[in-house]
Amino acid sequence: MENVLTLNLKNAEAFISLEETIAFAGQSVRHLETLNAGTGAGSDFLGWLTLPSDIQVQIDKIEKAAARLRSITDTTVVIGIGGSYLGARAINEALAHSFSPYLKQKQAHEILFAGQNICEDYFSELIEILDERNYSIIVISKSGTTTEPAIAFRILEQHLEKKVGKKETEQRIIAITDEQKGALRSLADANKYETFVIPDNVGGRYSVLSPVGMLPIAVSGLNIRALAEGARDMELITRKNKDITTNPALLYAAARNLLLKGGRLVEIMVGFTPKLYFFAEWWKQLYGESEGKDGRGIFPASVNFTTDLHSLGQYIQEGQRILFETVISVKNPARTVTVPASQDDSDQLNYLAGRRLSEVNHNAEDGTILAHNDGNVPVIKIEIPAIDEYYLGQMIYFLEISCGISGYMLDINPFDQPGVEAYKKNMFALLNKPGYEEVGRELRKRL
Ligand code: PA5
């Protein structure tokens, strides 16, 4: 298949040979088979494997709902946290205008995010903006009981009601949640809000190709059909393909686990464009929450170059040798800017005159990879032709399936997140939530 993302291991080969990686990937074909057979840990949560095809029947409904919100409002607040927000934000920010979301695709609809923090100032500023805006809300929570989005929704639902009245609010809120259970489901049904369902067998961080990601992405005017098509093409390449040389998901999972065995505890996702900032955030959640358990897993970090070459670049070049990098290398930018000539050349940049910024950026990328190699840092490259819906769809599925394989290589359950409960329990206790008072008293002694 042409036009497909490729995995380039050349700059990791001094650390893990290609033969070794291929052999390791060969051994772990069985993990891919376990995923497909649904016989491994967490097998109740494998619905994401076929989401690129399964979502097709809902695309018309999603587009219709998106068009409705766009026709009645100019702003949509997406409320959610973790897997219920990062995927949509990753795609939206990768394709949005960097400075004015209003210019995005020349369509005047802005997406704002709430419920992913409990910062009072952030919230107050959001309300200040919403006082002036004609807005709608998409509230997303699989459990329907997560504190951060629940607080955000309580505040914004009341704000909206006050602004446009109860009847109009009904038209402006869409809830995405469980088909039957949870507080959000009851609330949505009681208020007759339109709803979409998060499938039972899809966990939050694997849900971007369900209505969780697709609806907010469609509301911002992006092409969700192309996103699903990219994911579907990647499903064809990776899901049933046991040939290591043509299945990049097997190779990526093998390479990163071999590097871990060699003492590389931290994987840094690198982008050479700020547009991939939230994509790396999405990836960090996917891999961190999937792998970090039972005292195992690679710690996922991210940097944005060339910006961070002037901050974290020093550590990567010369600090503790526990790192490896995974660079998302983008061939073609969407726009063109060239360096102009200058008559006096006082800044001595005329050697770049007439050349595109992307040429400068690509040489910065190659130069950085080689410098980091010289500094004893292995580099894996994921190469894509461009940042658009189609290739982002490929990336999403590729990284999800690699994560499932990699989790099984680590012998953990990549589809649960028991560790997330610890902070929640303490927070409830410290807030004197009914039933938690005794724990709260004990905890306060430690502060
Ligand atoms: O990946 C996950 O399961 C989590 O990150 C959840 O998405 C996150 O905790 C939000 O949960 P919920 O959608 O139930 O509000």
Side-chain angles (χ1 to χ4, degrees):
M1 194 181 289
E2 278 174 22
N3 299 336
V4 76
L5 77 73
T6 49
L7 190 73
N8 181 340
L9 296 177
K10 187 157 188 241
N11 297 101
E13 277 177 34
F15 308 86
I16 44 166
S17 74
L18 195 56
E19 297 72 45
E20 192 184 5
T21 312
I22 288 177
F24 197 53
Q27 281 171 35
S28 59
V29 166
R30 68 193 163 88
H31 297 305
L32 179 62
E33 287 171 339
T34 307
L35 268 182
N36 280 311
T39 50
S43 57
D44 288 348
F45 291 95
L46 293 175
W48 56 273
L49 272 171
T50 51
L51 261 184
S53 313
D54 297 344
I55 193 65
Q56 297 297 328
V57 293
Q58 289 195 70
I59 285 190
D60 280 347
K61 185 183 169 205
I62 292 172
E63 284 179 342
K64 222 165 128 200
R68 190 174 64 74
L69 290 190
R70 288 170 66 82
S71 71
I72 57 174
T73 58
D74 57 38
T75 300
T76 298
V77 186
V78 175
I79 299 178
I81 194 166
S84 288
Y85 112 99
L86 273 167
R89 188 155 198 183
I91 305 305
N92 279 353
E93 308 243 341
L95 299 173
H97 192 284
S98 300
F99 301 97
S100 172
Y102 273 91
L103 290 178
K104 178 173 55 184
Q105 317 254 318
K106 297 197 171 44
Q107 284 162 340
H109 199 93
E110 186 165 24
I111 306 291
L112 302 173
F113 292 91
Q116 81 283 18
N117 65 59
I118 329 173
C119 172
E120 195 158 344
D121 291 341
Y122 179 96
F123 224 99
S124 168
E125 286 165 9
L126 177 64
I127 289 170
E128 198 171 277
I129 294 286
L130 294 178
D131 281 341
E132 310 296 324
R133 294 283 177 90
N134 177 23
Y135 74 97
S136 48
I137 297 173
I138 299 174
V139 54
I140 309 169
S141 177
K142 183 173 180 186
S143 62
T145 53
T146 308
T147 310
E148 293 90 336
I151 293 175
F153 186 54
R154 179 184 278 214
I155 297 172
L156 291 189
E157 186 190 36
Q158 291 188 16
H159 181 268
L160 190 57
E161 259 182 43
K162 225 187 217 161
K163 199 176 155 97
V164 299
K166 176 104 184 100
K167 196 103 208 91
E168 180 62 18
T169 296
E170 272 172 30
Q171 302 304 309
R172 291 183 180 211
I173 293 181
I174 298 181
I176 309 179
T177 189
D178 186 87
E179 193 164 15
Q180 281 160 355
K181 47 182 196 303
L184 182 56
R185 165 55 61 188
S186 320
L187 229 150
D189 289 348
N191 289 290
K192 300 191 217 69
Y193 299 146
E194 182 175 3
T195 60
F196 285 84
V197 170
I198 307 178
D200 252 357
N201 60 356
V202 178
R205 59 190 174 278
Y206 293 84
S207 68
V208 54
L209 298 169
S210 79
V212 170
M214 293 302 221
L215 181 63
I217 294 167
V219 173
S220 73
L222 297 170
N223 184 349
I224 56 170
R225 285 174 195 271
L227 192 76
E229 192 191 331
R232 202 153 45 156
D233 284 348
M234 189 48 62
E235 182 190 340
L236 287 175
I237 293 166
T238 56
R239 188 157 77 90
K240 296 278 172 76
N241 179 3
K242 295 178 206 160
D243 175 0
I244 297 112
T245 57
T246 54
N247 187 338
L250 280 169
L251 266 190
Y252 177 52
R256 55 197 300 285
N257 276 284
L258 269 183
L259 288 165
L260 174 65
K261 278 178 190 291
R264 305 291 169 160
L265 304 172
V266 178
E267 176 175 9
I268 307 178
M269 179 157 278
V270 181
F272 277 80
T273 159
K275 292 187 170 293
L276 291 176
Y277 177 87
F278 270 98
F279 194 83
E281 294 300 305
W282 170 81
W283 169 83
K284 284 196 292 199
Q285 189 213 351
L286 180 64
Y287 278 71
E289 212 165 57
S290 296
E291 293 192 335
K293 50 197 74 153
D294 302 341
R296 292 181 216 160
I298 299 170
F299 184 82
S302 65
V303 290
N304 189 243
F305 288 163
T306 59
T307 312
D308 295 333
L309 285 171
H310 299 262
S311 54
L312 289 170
Q314 172 61 37
Y315 191 103
I316 296 169
Q317 190 69 44
E318 295 183 349
Q320 287 207 63
R321 302 299 73 189
I322 53 168
L323 316 168
F324 69 97
E325 291 179 305
T326 297
V327 174
I328 303 179
S329 182
V330 185
K331 195 156 185 233
N332 299 309
R335 295 167 180 244
T336 307
V337 177
T338 51
V339 179
S342 142
Q343 239 172 15
D344 60 6
D345 196 24
S346 50
D347 53 11
Q348 296 173 11
L349 283 178
N350 267 356
Y351 78 102
L352 293 176
R355 292 161 82 176
R356 289 179 63 178
L357 287 194
S358 52
E359 188 189 343
V360 181
N361 207 18
H362 279 136
N363 282 287
E365 180 179 317
D366 290 344
T368 303
I369 289 171
L370 295 177
H372 289 180
N373 265 187
D374 291 342
N376 193 10
V377 177
V379 181
I380 296 172
K381 262 210 275 186
I382 299 170
E383 297 170 327
I384 50 172
I387 299 178
D388 62 16
E389 290 93 333
Y390 177 73
Y391 290 114
L392 289 172
Q394 287 195 8
M395 289 276 286
I396 287 167
Y397 195 86
F398 163 73
L399 290 167
E400 285 180 350
I401 195 158
S402 303
C403 188
I405 299 167
S406 183
Y408 283 169
M409 282 179 172
L410 287 163
D411 199 20
I412 48 92
N413 176 354
F415 309 112
D416 67 359
Q417 55 285 327
V420 180
E421 297 310 311
Y423 99 90
K424 290 187 191 167
K425 201 179 82 203
N426 288 352
M427 178 177 76
F428 294 151
L430 292 168
L431 284 167
N432 286 329
K433 185 173 175 173
Y436 289 80
E437 296 86 344
E438 181 53 41
V439 188
R441 273 191 289 280
E442 287 306 311
L443 286 180
R444 263 179 227 103
K445 290 183 199 156
R446 291 171 48 199
L447 289 171

